[in-house]
Amino acid sequence: MKRLINWQPNKPLGIFLGLLPFALLLVIYLVSSDLRLEANPNDKLLPSFAQISDGFSRMAFEPSRRTGDYVFWQDTASSLTRLALGVAIAATIGLMIGLLAGSLPLFSSWLSPLLTVVSLIPPLAILPILFIVFGLGELSKVMLIAIGITPFIARDILRRTQEVPSEQLVKAQTLGANTSQILIRVLLPQIMPKLIDAVRLSLGAGWLFLIAAEAVAATDGLGYRIFLVRRYMAMDVILPYVAWITLLAFLIDLSLRQMSQLLFPWHDLNSKQGGKS
């Protein structure tokens, strides 16, 4: 008798099982929305799909009466700019700290304790400090994202650097390579795909810090808009915004994965071989 642990779904069954939870959630929402609207046509908690479509169209395709901008796209551009800047800063600093601390014992003794302590500080707890130090402008929001995910990226890169076989470092030294050449030509090419993986894993936290910063002090952005319209129970606007954020996060993650496969095809090959072994 074949045990359940050995069952592997074929491709059609795998696609069906993957879509099934979404279909069930959709059915549950439709039934719940119909029941609430039937009892109270003015209910705002679970709007119908027609109401959601109207809310999305109003935000995305009708210019604002006050500014003339298309609010939905302006919010998207602002949030993506802040997220990109924050993640870029975090990735750069995290790579430098992780690579140096993971390869040079002198830097490891100096940076590892500090990195451990900093990573334990809840970033949202220092949000008021950031607003006091950097003001209420764009810099404080970008810095919250950068400070929030830099320790995670740095610690992951540090660990990945230490996993590089020491035989490679010894061989490079016997061939005459100095420290900087080992860092740049031996370690860095192997760490770059790990950096993309670390950025992918930290994007969820990056979105969290972005939404939190925009909710506290902003005049545009996806998080700002959600917290603005919640005062009016405008679920027909909030739900499309949440779905849009989810889609953006999925597309960014997919783009990073495609970029990793394109730039470092050997990394995915090694991962698959390591998984089989």
Side-chain angles (χ1 to χ4, degrees):
M1 181 178 177
K2 192 173 184 178
R3 294 180 174 82
L4 182 61
I5 196 171
N6 296 320
W7 281 12
Q8 292 286 343
N10 54 32
K11 190 172 182 179
L13 180 59
I15 295 175
F16 171 77
L17 292 176
L19 295 177
L20 183 60
F22 297 99
L24 290 176
L25 289 175
L26 187 61
V27 171
I28 291 173
Y29 181 87
L30 289 174
V31 172
S32 302
S33 176
D34 287 344
L35 291 176
R36 290 186 68 94
L37 291 175
E38 185 177 353
N40 179 13
N42 295 322
D43 182 77
K44 293 183 177 180
L45 185 61
L46 297 177
S48 65
F49 273 21
Q51 292 172 317
I52 293 176
S53 177
D54 290 341
F56 175 75
S57 299
R58 189 172 62 252
M59 302 299 290
F61 304 117
E62 294 181 7
S64 169
R65 295 178 181 176
R66 186 171 59 88
T67 62
D69 296 330
Y70 290 90
V71 174
F72 182 81
W73 304 113
Q74 178 65 37
D75 290 336
T76 301
S78 299
S79 292
L80 288 181
T81 301
R82 292 164 186 152
L83 182 68
L85 289 174
V87 171
I89 294 172
T92 304
I93 298 176
L95 173 64
M96 295 174 61
I97 294 177
L99 183 62
L100 292 175
S103 57
L104 304 178
L106 186 63
F107 277 85
S108 179
S109 301
W110 175 48
L111 288 175
S112 291
L114 175 64
L115 197 59
T116 300
V117 173
V118 171
S119 66
L120 296 177
I121 301 175
L124 292 180
I126 62 173
L127 183 58
I129 300 175
L130 295 179
F131 284 134
I132 293 173
V133 174
F134 298 110
L136 299 177
E138 295 299 307
L139 183 59
S140 59
K141 305 174 188 62
V142 173
M143 289 306 297
L144 176 63
I145 300 171
I147 292 175
I149 64 177
T150 294
F152 170 80
I153 294 177
R155 294 183 71 180
D156 190 63
I157 294 301
L158 184 154
R159 187 167 58 88
R160 299 295 184 180
T161 303
Q162 291 175 337
E163 290 176 353
V164 175
S166 58
E167 290 81 1
Q168 294 185 16
L169 308 183
V170 173
K171 185 177 291 185
Q173 293 179 69
T174 59
L175 294 174
N178 56 35
T179 300
S180 60
Q181 288 174 326
I182 293 174
L183 289 175
I184 296 173
R185 303 188 64 176
V186 178
L187 293 175
L188 188 60
Q190 300 184 68
I191 293 304
M192 287 306 294
K194 310 292 186 184
L195 175 64
I196 295 179
D197 291 342
V199 170
R200 288 178 60 196
L201 292 174
S202 62
L203 274 178
W207 277 105
L208 171 65
F209 300 135
L210 171 67
I211 299 299
E214 290 180 342
V216 175
T219 56
D220 58 9
L222 298 171
Y224 163 76
R225 197 67 54 189
I226 289 175
F227 278 83
L228 177 67
V229 300
R230 75 176 172 83
R231 304 172 185 170
Y232 314 105
M233 287 283 291
M235 295 294 286
D236 58 333
V237 175
I238 294 176
L239 291 178
Y241 265 69
V242 173
W244 179 241
I245 291 173
T246 306
L247 178 61
L248 288 175
F250 173 77
L251 293 177
I252 293 173
D253 181 77
L254 181 64
S255 300
L256 288 173
R257 186 172 63 181
Q258 296 292 335
M259 184 173 70
S260 177
Q261 292 175 349
L262 180 65
L263 297 177
F264 314 105
W266 50 267
H267 171 62
D268 292 302
L269 183 62
N270 290 341
S271 299
K272 292 177 181 178
Q273 290 177 345
K276 290 179 180 180
S277 64

